């Protein structure tokens, strides 16, 4: 445990976690934009009045919030703002916890987004085969 805390107090690790947090904030923001574009899809409009979309969007926003707070904690620690406090380690542990929580929300929300895109843009194999057959039939005429 002591080794872990010494590693967490390392400025290079804090800077790395800060950078990774900022990257995932960018990913989460991009995913929210994708959700907003998908919300205009005719199938999604039907579920827009239900809690399905708000739950999926909520996961990305929770990820954003957790990552943003962890970024603030890591950046504050890098600049030495917590040095005068005796609970600076506690802030670092909280920052790491928020980072891991935000990352978990991001992974779950990303899986939701992938499932949604697959559902919305999947191809019906029977219709696809029928279209190919019709096209080949027209070519032979």
């Amino acid at each position: 445990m002591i080794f872990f805390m010494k590693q967490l107090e390392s400025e290079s690790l804090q800077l790395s976690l800060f950078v990774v947090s900022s990257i995932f904030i960018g990913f989460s923001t991009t995913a929210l934009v994708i959700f907003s574009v998908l919300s205009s899809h005719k199938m999604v409009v039907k579920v827009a009045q239900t809690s399905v979309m708000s739950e999926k969007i909520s996961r990305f926003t929770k990820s954003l919030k957790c990552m943003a707070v962890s970024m603030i904690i890591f950046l504050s620690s890098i600049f030495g703002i917590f040095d005068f406090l005796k609970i600076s380690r506690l802030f670092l542990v909280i920052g790491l916890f928020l980072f891991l929580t935000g990352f978990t929300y991001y992974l779950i929300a990303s899986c939701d987004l992938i499932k949604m895109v697959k559902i919305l843009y999947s191809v019906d194999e029977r219709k696809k085969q029928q279209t190919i057959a019709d096209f080949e039939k027209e070519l032979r005429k």
Side-chain angles (χ1 to χ4, degrees):
M1 182 70 175
I2 293 172
F3 175 75
F4 174 73
M5 287 308 299
K6 292 228 184 261
Q7 290 296 325
L8 188 57
E9 290 174 343
S10 158
E11 280 190 21
S12 64
L13 178 64
Q14 293 170 19
L15 184 60
S16 297
L17 289 171
F18 172 80
V19 169
V20 171
S21 294
S22 66
I23 290 169
F24 279 105
I25 284 177
F27 289 160
S28 292
T29 304
T30 303
L32 285 171
V33 170
I34 292 170
F35 265 117
S36 69
V37 169
L38 287 178
S39 67
S40 65
H41 194 280
K42 61 184 173 184
M43 284 183 68
V44 177
V45 170
K46 293 178 184 177
V47 295
Q49 285 79 27
T50 68
S51 62
V52 173
M53 287 298 286
S54 61
E55 286 175 12
K56 304 212 179 309
I57 291 171
S58 173
R59 289 188 184 120
F60 277 113
T61 56
K62 286 177 183 175
S63 172
L64 277 168
K65 290 174 186 175
C66 289
M67 291 287 184
V69 173
S70 74
M71 275 180 63
I72 292 168
I73 290 172
F74 292 133
L75 191 62
S76 299
S77 181
I78 291 168
F79 287 141
I81 293 174
F82 299 136
D83 289 348
F84 66 92
L85 297 174
K86 294 188 191 255
I87 56 171
S88 62
R89 284 184 173 180
L90 177 63
F91 280 110
L92 291 175
V93 170
I94 291 170
L96 183 62
F97 174 77
L98 288 171
F99 171 79
L100 294 174
T101 303
F103 183 71
T104 302
Y105 276 122
Y106 175 80
L107 289 177
I108 293 168
S110 295
C111 289
D112 287 344
L113 180 61
I114 291 168
K115 288 177 191 173
M116 182 178 272
V117 169
K118 280 184 178 180
I119 290 169
L120 292 175
Y121 296 106
S122 65
V123 175
D124 183 1
E125 279 300 315
R126 285 183 290 160
K127 287 183 180 179
K128 176 181 158 186
Q129 294 302 325
Q130 183 62 43
T131 303
I132 291 171
D134 292 345
F135 183 70
E136 288 175 348
K137 189 185 222 181
E138 288 295 320
L139 285 175
R140 290 187 196 136
K141 287 184 181 181

